[in-house]
């Protein structure tokens, strides 16, 4: 199962009551963080995300509200006792920006692996069971959306296994895709007890961007789409589009087209104090829309995934 | 009168309940900020400090907890409508560090004047009525303490003015140091109605540093000394000294020797949850010691200064 949390949901600048947009995705004790604006390290602590588990930091783009917290995050991460590598991935230009911001960060006890992503659809970053894909967004500077997918084991059919008189302790090996040989000499292939594949668990994170068709394709069938909603007010659609942003209804349209299970809105303008008030309109387009708030969490999949 | 506020009082890393150490000094609607760690822009807002009034940013040194908030601060300052220059002053190396951290800051509507201070005692930065001096501290990297002084007008003696039959509307001109000529032809020099000079209003800010004698000289007679107190526990004195820091009793000794009017302790270790508990010991050395907390404010001088 995949834990997803938004420790912050604000855009532009950190507020007293709203941290900057970021996303924490944790699977089997390893975590991915998307973006780290000023104060993200505090937001993570407040949301109960354990920084020591951080393995991959994905940067969407190089606006300060998405990356200015990097020096502090790297230093505090060093104090957690981490010694394994931290992957930092982001758009082309990442090395230049990270090198600049770390001018005030001494060498840490963990190595940093920088990965510049060209935004190619075929480009994937694998981290244990987690597969990360990216999509170029439209924001006036190189900006990437991310999809994190966890492959799920195929469906195991215990009736087939019983009919073949396979001892129960061997079920897990077969479920994991390995053939076994029984004491009576029979060789059992996994496909003899499996009932077909299941969709991966998928979460998509797309901010900051104009509404573009490619997001629907990218997020197709995701369990959760986290998408920007700079404003709820539809009349700001054109103005936001010009600035490389979206309003709630844009995200709701994308979620509907993508057929995702749920949509979380985030990256609110500091001028929008109460995102909830615009939610009804967005839900008319896509009913499973949630106006996310700092600290919102969910678990996707079940304990066996 | 000079308003002084500490929006944050923490060292090392920002906490949920304690912002990083910084100091806001405001005089006649113009403000100086000393240091800007991660989250300082939020701390300022919370403490009621109006960012639009910021004229001078003084950096003590280039550890992240004192400067990592620079990109966000500069961006938010740009949104306040500021168009007048911002002076950023700090130790040698300032240009390199500011240039690196502003890799993610586009050109702002106000110009930035960078001033690298060599730490020379004769070196002074003047900003309207405020005179800023600096002192090299001992911290393992170039680090400066700052003193901000406001010259006060000399004492005006209304009895002398009455005896000379000077019309009241002219008192202010004389008090400001300008001679006047009366209708009867007499020339009145300011020294004919003034009773001598007054000490300037002075606030001193010294962190991060080992205890060094020079601080007492530098802070001599100040109205307020703001000094680091990483820990309250005296048994940590040697360990802190090695790391270029002080405990409460070090600061209290300095305040006593300097003969300041008041001492505020700041820059607490994240491991010290309740600085107040060590205050009694420090007060045995210097009774006017305060364990500062986020948002602590005072006004030095009176409304005519």
């Amino acid at each position: 199962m995949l834990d997803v949390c938004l420790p912050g949901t604000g855009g532009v600048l950190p507020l007293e009551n709203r941290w900057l947009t970021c996303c924490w995705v944790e699977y089997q004790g390893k975590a991915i963080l998307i973006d780290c604006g000023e104060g993200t390290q505090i937001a993570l602590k407040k949301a109960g995300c354990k920084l020591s588990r951080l393995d991959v930091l994905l940067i969407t783009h190089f606006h300060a509200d998405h990356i200015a917290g990097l020096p502090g995050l790297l230093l505090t991460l060093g104090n957690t006792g981490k010694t394994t590598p931290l992957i930092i991935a982001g758009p082309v230009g990442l090395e230049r920006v990270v090198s600049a911001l770390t001018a005030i960060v001494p060498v840490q006890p963990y190595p940093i692996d920088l990965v510049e992503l060209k935004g190619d659809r075929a480009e994937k970053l694998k981290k244990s069971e987690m597969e990360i894909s990216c999509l170029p967004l439209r924001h006036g500077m190189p900006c990437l959306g991310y999809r994190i997918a966890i492959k799920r084991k195929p469906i195991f059919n215990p009736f087939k296994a019983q009919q073949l008189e396979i001892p129960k302790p061997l079920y897990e090996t077969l479920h994991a895709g390995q053939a076994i040989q029984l004491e009576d000499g029979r060789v059992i292939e996994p496909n003899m007890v499996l009932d077909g594949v299941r969709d991966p668990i998928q979460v998509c994170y797309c901010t900051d961007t104009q509404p573009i068709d490619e997001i629907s394709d990218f997020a197709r069938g995701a369990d959760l789409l986290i998408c920007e909603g700079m404003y709820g007010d539809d009349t700001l659609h054109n103005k936001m589009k010009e600035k490389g942003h979206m309003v709630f209804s844009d995200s709701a349209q994308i979620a509907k087209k993508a057929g995702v299970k749920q949509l979380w809105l985030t990256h609110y303008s500091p001028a929008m104090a109460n995102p909830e008030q615009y939610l009804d309109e967005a839900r008319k387009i896509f009913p499973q829309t949630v106006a996310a708030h700092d600290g919102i969490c969910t678990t996707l999949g079940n304990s066996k995934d």
Side-chain angles (χ1 to χ4, degrees), chain A residues 73-75 77-79 82-86 105 107-112:
Chain A
L73 189 93
L74 295 181
L75 282 162
L77 186 58
N79 287 334
K82 181 177 174 73
T83 52
T84 55
L86 173 72
V105 179
V107 174
Q108 293 300 301
Y110 55 87
I112 292 175

Side-chain angles (χ1 to χ4, degrees), chain A residues 42-59:
Chain A
I42 317 170
L44 289 174
K45 205 165 180 183
K46 214 161 177 173
C49 304
K50 301 224 177 303
L51 193 57
S52 57
R53 297 181 180 172
L54 185 64
D55 246 17
V56 181
L57 172 60
L58 302 173
I59 301 295

Side-chain angles (χ1 to χ4, degrees), chain A residues 189-212:
Chain A
E189 296 289 340
N191 61 10
M192 295 163 73
V193 293
L194 298 178
D195 263 356
V197 296
R198 292 188 298 166
D199 289 334
I201 305 171
Q202 287 191 94
V203 55
C204 261
Y205 186 88
C206 292
T207 175
D208 304 13
T209 183
Q210 280 185 11
I212 52 170

Side-chain angles (χ1 to χ4, degrees), chain A residues 7 43 121 178 186 224:
Chain A
R121 282 294 291 273
Q178 285 180 42
R186 284 182 297 149
L224 174 61

Side-chain angles (χ1 to χ4, degrees), chain A residues 53-266:
Chain A
R53 297 181 180 172
L54 185 64
D55 246 17
V56 181
L57 172 60
L58 302 173
I59 301 295
T60 57
H61 65 298
F62 308 131
H63 277 152
D65 54 335
H66 295 255
I67 196 170
L70 185 69
L73 189 93
L74 295 181
L75 282 162
T76 303
L77 186 58
N79 287 334
T80 66
K82 181 177 174 73
T83 52
T84 55
L86 173 72
I87 294 173
I88 307 181
V92 171
L94 183 76
E95 288 195 23
R96 182 185 57 80
V97 172
V98 171
S99 157
L101 290 181
T102 52
I104 53 168
V105 179
V107 174
Q108 293 300 301
Y110 55 87
I112 292 175
D113 294 341
L114 291 180
V115 182
E116 291 202 348
L117 299 164
K118 291 184 186 64
D120 195 321
R121 282 294 291 273
E123 201 172 13
K124 289 192 197 318
L125 189 68
K126 282 207 175 186
K127 187 67 195 173
S128 64
E129 304 298 312
M130 293 192 272
E131 188 180 80
I132 300 160
S133 316
C134 60
L135 172 76
L137 300 174
R138 202 171 300 158
H139 187 54
M141 70 151 62
C143 182
L144 296 173
Y146 290 105
R147 185 179 62 215
I148 298 164
I150 307 287
K151 282 190 183 161
R152 284 196 278 199
K153 290 177 187 170
I155 298 160
F156 185 84
N157 189 328
F159 300 106
K160 287 183 178 173
Q162 275 166 23
Q163 281 183 329
L164 291 165
E165 292 175 347
I166 298 165
K168 275 194 175 168
L170 299 176
Y171 284 13
E172 210 170 302
T173 309
L174 284 162
H175 197 183
Q178 285 180 42
I180 54 166
Q181 185 165 24
L182 299 179
E183 284 182 359
D184 60 14
R186 284 182 297 149
V187 172
I188 311 292
E189 296 289 340
N191 61 10
M192 295 163 73
V193 293
L194 298 178
D195 263 356
V197 296
R198 292 188 298 166
D199 289 334
I201 305 171
Q202 287 191 94
V203 55
C204 261
Y205 186 88
C206 292
T207 175
D208 304 13
T209 183
Q210 280 185 11
I212 52 170
D213 285 343
E214 290 86 341
I215 302 176
S216 310
D217 294 337
F218 186 63
R220 179 97 40 232
D223 297 87
L224 174 61
L225 170 63
I226 301 158
C227 211
E228 80 157 280
M230 194 69 159
Y231 282 96
D233 182 355
D234 260 0
T235 64
L236 293 170
H237 168 83
N238 288 344
K239 193 176 165 192
M240 283 305 104
K241 193 175 171 187
E242 267 174 42
K243 288 175 180 275
H245 285 293
M246 302 201 282
V247 294
F248 284 12
S249 61
D250 292 322
S251 295
Q253 294 286 5
I254 289 169
K256 183 183 176 184
K257 203 170 163 197
V260 299
K261 294 199 181 73
Q262 196 172 34
L263 168 69
W264 284 2
L265 296 166
T266 187

